[in-house]
Amino acid sequence: MDLTQLLNEMTLNEKIGQLVQLTPNFFEETNGDTEITGPLQEMGLTTEDLNLIGSVLGTHTKEQVISIQRNYLANSRLKIPLIFMADVVHGYETIFPVPLGLASSWNTELVKEVASLSGREASDAGIHVTFSPMVDLVRDPRWGRVMEGTGEDSYLNSLMAKAFIEGYQGEEAKLDSDFRKIAACVKHFIGYGASEAGRDYNTVDISTINLYQSYLPSFKAAIDSGVKLVMTSFNTIYGVPATGNKWLMRSVLRDKLGFDGVLISDWAAIGEMLAHGVARDLEQAAKLALEAGVDIDMMTPAYQKNLKHLVESQQISENLIDEAVLRVLQLKEDLGLFEDPYRGLLTREELSKTKLRLKTREIASQSMVLLKNEEQLLPLNPSKKISLVGPLANSHDVLGAWSWVGKIEESVTLSEGLSSEFTNIEVIGTKDRTTFTFNERKEMLRAAKESEVVIVALGEGSEETGEAASKGVIQLPKEQLSLLKEIQTVNSQVVTVLFNGRPLDLSEIVPYSQSILEVWFPGSEAGNSVSDVLLGRVNPSGKLPMSFPVTTGQIPVYYNHLRTGRPMSKDNKNEKYISRFLDIPNEPLYPFGYGLSYTSFSISEATLSSKVLKENQTINVTAKITNTGDYTGTETVQCYLKAEVGEVARPVRELKAFKQVTIKPNETIEVTFILNQKDLEYVHSDLSERADFGNYVVYVGSDSQAPEIGKFSFEK
């Protein structure tokens, strides 16, 4: 279609309408053609306004989509189809593990498969665009939305961003011919994960170097992968809300990163510029947002009610509106909506829910992280007498935040998953996560005392994580901690299973648990996938994408922190005037990259192919990995680098590569990492990216505390 010709045929009101997004209830609650009721009345819109809207967010059935699209096209002069968007974050109706759990797999092909399956199921329900992936760098687990991210490392985040987008859109993004694929919207641009105190929607203050070095790479990876949309963040950057930040959106997003797709505000973010105190009214907010390059106004009347007056009063040029409309029309063209406004909904065969559930079970088991396993208590023998106790034992609340279409009652509980496996199991759950009755506690202690192994299911509720779910204390409730301690006094064979969406303070969990399995929110097949791991059908291979702190007071604690002028070392750790706490260690309880297996691995003969790396050449880092245990297992071998000297202060180490290898008992596999000049580049004080000549330290191991294996110099 000739989009420029279509644009020329549009009135100013029709153009503005394309830049507005509303929820389905606006289309479903109008009463005839004249009476204005419900949300239209609240937002001051008319039915005529509604017939010009460009996109809808939050539909959840194909019947709803077909009905809204059909009625809309019947009233549209130019028959420009609606785009339907929704939050498809870790599954649609069939729920996969939360993204932080998926990132724990360190498996980009698995993440790509999740995005592909989720997108396919969403497209069957009429969704064209997902507000995913969230690639915000997350270092503060008090922020509830860490569950929606992929961790504290920009390199891992970048790989995961690419995997999500290729899964949703397809590697060639042929969305106009493959209606099983949907467009991705990467979010939130930028810095949202750095909210002060981990409090959602709070102020953000990031240095320019940190912004470019740590926060931009994952967005660059998304844009390089062809992502179709970018969403603005709620926060300020250099004092200006991102949604109205012209420098950020024009100079950085459009010019530096080369993004030419659709830029959409987050929910009501344009209107929130009034609360930020940078706009006196919605008209000024609309002007700031449009000048910044925001193409779609999500859920405010700012554009709809003010852009026409801004043009007519010559406060903005209609050319700004035209460029935004062309990007929206191009997205509709890319999606194939002009050829088929229903994208195959009227004739398509839907994806099998049974196959999806099986995939969910398989994938969830790969997202779990074994944090502790003393005396090889796990895997469990199904012939043993087992008790399963705790507030999450019988809970269906295992889907996690952003599972808004998922049916919680259809999720598999842990008790359901385990009861079919053990011939001798007793389950004593509780009705509440934070308050246990006297009889509940008494019965749980009795069951624990009478069993050979007791599984204690603890954790958060899904509403305690995700958006608007910040916490000042990230320990589990006192009732859960005291229950665990009491159980340990009657039975030391304790396996703690944790359901949660953020790194937790486990300082009062570790001493009272012989084994700890972090399962996150595993999704629809939670109970079955956890059972697969506890019984050893799946050997856990997950690695942490975020460090777990010793206590809340350590936060933020992340592995790739900058070096300081008075660093703590083994030799000076008892001195006072160094960078340390008096009452807690500097190191996290469990570091980034950490995760155990039912088997054990040793890394030996780690060598560098050369002591010198020349420009435009490579150097090989080689190591042998041996399975020294009794089970076949998968290990994620990680390679880190440290620049001994930099133009600006540099991290103590940075992840540069990793490989997953599956090894049989007594088998040895050689792993090789290839490093080049690109791996040494970083953002300098003038914001240029280049490598410094000098010496570099190489670390290879099983987590971010991997040992040093050698050094090389980078020379001309």
Side-chain angles (χ1 to χ4, degrees), residues 35 56 66 127 285 299 361 375 392 398 450 528 552 580 594 612 614 648 661 676 710:
E35 186 178 350
V56 182
I66 291 169
I127 301 303
M299 282 303 294
R361 176 174 182 169
E375 300 178 14
L392 274 296
V398 292
E450 294 175 359
N528 289 329
T552 307
R580 71 178 181 92
Y594 175 86
V612 177
K614 295 286 189 178
V648 297
V661 288
N676 57 37

Side-chain angles (χ1 to χ4, degrees), residues 96-117:
F96 292 89
V98 295
L100 195 63
L102 293 173
S104 299
S105 71
W106 286 52
N107 186 331
T108 55
E109 289 302 314
L110 178 145
V111 170
K112 187 186 299 186
E113 184 177 21
V114 168
S116 179
L117 292 170

Side-chain angles (χ1 to χ4, degrees), residues 389 426 428 438-448:
V389 303
E426 184 175 8
I428 308 291
F438 174 79
N439 284 337
E440 285 175 337
R441 187 179 292 271
K442 180 180 177 181
E443 282 298 296
M444 287 189 287
L445 289 172
R446 177 198 56 75

Side-chain angles (χ1 to χ4, degrees), residues 563-686:
R563 282 171 277 175
T564 74
R566 296 188 179 187
M568 187 179 74
S569 66
K570 292 180 180 179
D571 297 329
N572 70 3
K573 62 182 180 180
N574 295 319
E575 296 178 14
K576 183 174 183 180
Y577 296 102
I578 57 172
S579 182
R580 71 178 181 92
F581 295 103
L582 292 177
D583 54 346
I584 56 174
N586 284 8
E587 297 76 21
L589 181 63
Y590 294 115
F592 173 85
Y594 175 86
L596 302 176
S597 168
Y598 291 152
T599 193
S600 54
F601 303 97
S602 67
I603 299 177
S604 61
E605 299 181 39
T607 59
L608 305 179
S609 60
S610 173
K611 297 295 183 182
V612 177
L613 174 62
K614 295 286 189 178
E615 287 184 284
N616 303 316
Q617 294 184 0
T618 61
I619 189 170
N620 291 350
V621 180
T622 304
K624 291 185 177 180
I625 319 301
T626 302
N627 184 337
T628 57
D630 300 325
Y631 300 90
T632 296
T634 299
E635 176 66 310
T636 302
V637 188
Q638 302 159 41
C639 179
Y640 296 83
L641 282 185
K642 179 181 77 173
E644 289 194 336
V645 178
E647 188 245 356
V648 297
R650 302 290 296 126
V652 293
R653 63 178 64 187
E654 295 176 286
L655 179 68
K656 291 298 179 181
F658 62 88
K659 286 189 177 180
Q660 291 188 322
V661 288
T662 300
I663 315 177
K664 298 175 182 178
N666 301 315
E667 182 183 14
T668 298
I669 290 180
E670 186 173 87
V671 170
T672 299
F673 302 105
I674 302 174
L675 303 177
N676 57 37
Q677 180 177 333
K678 187 72 177 175
D679 294 310
L680 312 183
E681 293 178 355
Y682 69 95
V683 177
H684 287 62
S685 58
D686 62 359

Side-chain angles (χ1 to χ4, degrees), residues 467-538:
E467 187 172 354
S470 299
K471 284 185 173 181
V473 177
I474 55 170
Q475 277 192 329
L476 291 179
K478 292 180 180 179
E479 282 287 321
Q480 293 193 27
L481 298 175
S482 64
L483 172 67
L484 178 65
K485 293 174 183 178
E486 288 183 59
I487 286 174
Q488 201 268 345
T489 63
V490 300
N491 189 337
S492 64
Q493 304 292 288
V494 175
V495 175
T496 299
V497 176
L498 296 171
F499 294 84
N500 47 287
R502 55 162 55 85
L504 297 171
D505 171 355
L506 301 180
S507 56
E508 293 192 50
I509 298 287
V510 173
Y512 304 97
S513 307
Q514 194 160 330
S515 297
I516 303 174
L517 182 65
E518 171 61 76
V519 303
W520 309 107
F521 286 104
S524 299
E525 287 288 314
N528 289 329
S529 56
V530 175
S531 297
D532 288 340
V533 174
L534 292 178
L535 286 161
R537 281 194 293 265
V538 175

